[in-house]
Amino acid sequence: MMGSAVILLTSHNTLGDTGQPTGFHWVEMATPYYALKEAGYDVTLASVVGGRPPSDPSSAQAQDRPDSVARFMADAHAMEALEMTEPLSELRAGDYDIVYIPGGHGTMWDLAQHEGVGPFVAKAWEAGAVVGSVCHGPAALTETYLSDGTPLVKDKRLVAFTDDEEREARLETVVPYLLESRLRDRGAVFECNPEPFGAHVVTDGRLVTGQNPASVPGLADALVAAARSKKAAA
């Protein structure tokens, strides 16, 4: 066993005031889940409040379903773990070598707003964990402050779902804030593919981020590589 990883999912299920359902993005959860498992990590599925987290229905359509999503949905053990995710309140940050946070628009309403998310990520980081996230998942990083009060993302190279991509999705007035702008406000060195929805992955030491769903395969590989690099340097 290489170590322990936790995948922290959103528990928010509605897209602002639109009445439309949302939640986590399936491929952003499933592909890294199997990458971590196959690399030898014990993977815990968790969510902000625990139990079955909501998913973005548009990311689970049968047509053109990604292989990792089809595999996860057919995996009885994985689906059982998804039904009973650990609540954030019961996690101990020091237990994990990797903290990975998938996206999905639900993240925009609870990862920055919940009082426990930022402190959990900060404690894991300060304990030496690799922190990875993709698309809207870096919403968690906007309210993650280290013990000296510095934003974790300050002067860190990273990427997330861009403001231009939010506008292309016509959700810029629905989300509570624009993620790229907020990360920049926290001092992040934001790097991205200027082509909306094009793949882009950034590794800055133990911080690994991806821009959007197209970035997930590269993000999964980079997350494992960062963890191996950390272990080799230990």
Side-chain angles (χ1 to χ4, degrees), residues 79-95:
M79 289 298 288
E80 181 179 1
L82 186 64
E83 284 289 339
M84 301 182 293
T85 64
E86 296 286 336
L88 175 65
S89 62
E90 294 185 11
L91 303 181
R92 295 197 312 171
D95 288 350

Side-chain angles (χ1 to χ4, degrees), residues 15-73:
L15 197 59
D17 297 326
T18 66
Q20 298 175 22
T22 191
F24 73 86
H25 192 285
W26 269 97
V27 77
E28 295 174 16
M29 181 273 292
T31 297
Y33 173 86
Y34 285 112
L36 292 168
K37 294 277 281 188
E38 288 163 7
Y41 285 88
D42 179 41
V43 181
T44 296
L45 292 180
S47 62
V48 174
V49 301
R52 175 65 186 256
S55 61
D56 180 343
S58 70
S59 71
Q61 294 177 357
Q63 185 177 8
D64 299 323
R65 180 172 288 165
D67 290 345
S68 66
V69 177
R71 179 182 177 185
F72 194 101
M73 290 180 172

Side-chain angles (χ1 to χ4, degrees), residues 172-209:
E172 75 275 15
T173 61
V174 174
V175 292
Y177 54 89
L178 291 174
L179 182 52
E180 174 188 344
S181 291
R182 184 165 287 192
L183 288 165
R184 289 183 184 276
D185 287 346
R186 300 294 188 264
V189 180
F190 197 91
E191 302 177 359
C192 66
N193 186 332
E195 185 67 30
F197 310 108
H200 194 68
V201 175
V202 178
T203 298
D204 188 345
R206 291 185 287 115
L207 182 64
V208 184
T209 50

